[in-house]
Amino acid sequence: KGRESFVEHALLNIQILGKFSLAYQDNHVDDSGDRSRKVWLLLAYLIYHRNRPVTQDELLELLHIKEGANPSGALKTTLHRVRNLLDGLFPSAGHELILYKNGSYQWSQDYPVQMDHEDFEVLCRRASAETDPTQQLELRLQACQLFRGDFLGKLSAEAWVVPICAYYHNLYLQNVLAALPELQAQQRHEDIVQLCRDAILLEAYQEEFYQIQMQSLIQLGEQKQAVTLYEDLARLLLNDFGTMPDE
């Protein structure tokens, strides 16, 4: 009965863009602590592939657990740690959310989830399909606000994460570059400054974001900030590439 009540009303909020975190009501767990990288890797993989069973062999390969000294036991140990982590959301969450059947593991289909990368992609698609320029811009800005960092940023070197990370990263940049001309046309300089600042955190070498931000800072009467921004870029390019910004 308690489980049925949870299924009917609860929603697990999962952030996977930037920080990796799960929240249910007032309880949450995130990857800011000192838990093993493998714990978060295994949890992320099961959540992302939640619509299908994941075999034990697939997880052994994911975690780079070699043949030999009891690989099955090593996997079970990591799964035990993942389940203990999930128990911070609600009692017995680990066993309720991660199911085992016929040699495979799967994220339970009984528990509704909301994931930020999926919401982000929906907003991007709606913006692309929108014909009204004003509404299209607002959808793009909503999408950009939702993008708080690269997909599984702390696990971005994992082979299965790399192409997914690149996809969402590029989708974000497309939205930024599409939104900026309309913001300029509307002279929304404060929004331009904020959007460029956020984009620079992900694309530190893209001079266009600095140039557009500097122009808006000047329009806002913040000439000193514009100069400082230029100097930051010049220092970055000189130190990393031995070059200077475009004229």
Side-chain angles (χ1 to χ4, degrees):
K1 182 177 179 181
R3 183 165 181 248
E4 289 173 358
S5 176
F6 179 90
V7 171
E8 182 179 357
H9 299 292
L11 186 69
L12 284 170
N13 287 287
I14 301 176
Q15 178 184 337
I16 211 164
L17 296 173
K19 183 175 71 172
F20 182 22
S21 67
L22 298 88
Y24 167 64
Q25 293 185 349
D26 295 329
N27 301 321
H28 80 280
V29 294
D30 62 54
D31 63 358
S32 60
D34 58 357
R35 290 184 183 270
S36 166
R37 177 185 179 90
K38 287 187 175 181
V39 169
W40 289 104
L41 176 59
L42 177 55
L43 178 58
Y45 194 81
L46 289 173
I47 290 174
Y48 184 76
H49 297 94
R50 66 189 183 280
N51 294 321
R52 67 171 179 86
V54 180
T55 67
Q56 179 172 296
D57 288 342
E58 190 175 345
L59 293 178
L60 290 173
E61 183 177 351
L62 170 76
L63 300 174
H64 307 292
I65 298 176
K66 306 296 184 181
E67 294 278 346
N70 191 15
S72 178
L75 175 59
K76 288 179 180 178
T77 297
T78 305
L79 278 162
H80 176 72
R81 296 172 70 183
V82 171
R83 283 178 164 139
N84 282 343
L85 172 70
L86 292 172
D87 285 346
L89 296 174
F90 60 90
S92 301
H95 283 86
E96 292 285 347
L97 294 172
I98 299 178
L99 308 178
Y100 177 78
K101 184 178 181 181
N102 299 328
S104 295
Y105 294 89
Q106 184 170 6
W107 190 263
S108 175
Q109 298 293 298
D110 292 335
Y111 293 84
V113 300
Q114 182 170 9
M115 300 191 68
D116 61 345
H117 76 289
E118 294 176 346
D119 292 342
F120 168 74
E121 189 168 14
V122 167
L123 286 169
C124 292
R125 289 177 178 174
R126 287 178 57 195
S128 296
E130 180 59 57
T131 57
D132 178 74
T134 301
Q135 184 61 25
Q136 183 183 67
L137 176 61
E138 293 311 313
L139 288 169
R140 292 197 188 282
L141 293 178
Q142 288 176 39
C144 290
Q145 288 174 357
L146 197 55
F147 196 92
R148 289 162 287 195
D150 277 328
F151 180 90
L152 288 175
K154 290 187 177 181
L155 301 172
S156 59
E158 294 292 329
W160 72 274
V161 175
V162 170
I164 304 171
C165 180
Y167 169 74
Y168 286 105
H169 185 100
N170 291 333
L171 191 57
Y172 168 74
L173 291 180
Q174 290 170 20
N175 269 273
V176 173
L177 291 171
L180 284 172
E182 187 62 31
L183 288 173
Q184 288 176 306
Q186 297 181 21
Q187 299 187 30
R188 292 171 58 175
H189 296 295
E190 292 182 355
D191 291 332
I192 291 171
V193 169
Q194 187 59 57
L195 186 58
C196 287
R197 282 175 177 167
D198 293 341
I200 286 170
L201 294 176
L202 290 167
E203 284 289 330
Y205 303 115
Q206 188 146 340
E207 294 185 40
E208 183 177 2
F209 294 146
Y210 294 85
Q211 182 185 32
I212 293 173
Q213 185 180 350
M214 287 165 59
Q215 291 169 347
S216 285
L217 285 170
I218 291 170
Q219 291 297 321
L220 291 169
E222 301 290 351
Q223 284 83 356
K224 289 184 179 180
Q225 287 191 39
V227 171
T228 299
L229 182 63
Y230 173 81
E231 292 173 342
D232 290 343
L233 173 62
R235 190 180 306 110
L236 178 69
L237 294 179
L238 185 62
N239 290 340
D240 290 359
F241 301 110
T243 63
M244 292 295 289
D246 182 77
E247 190 66 31

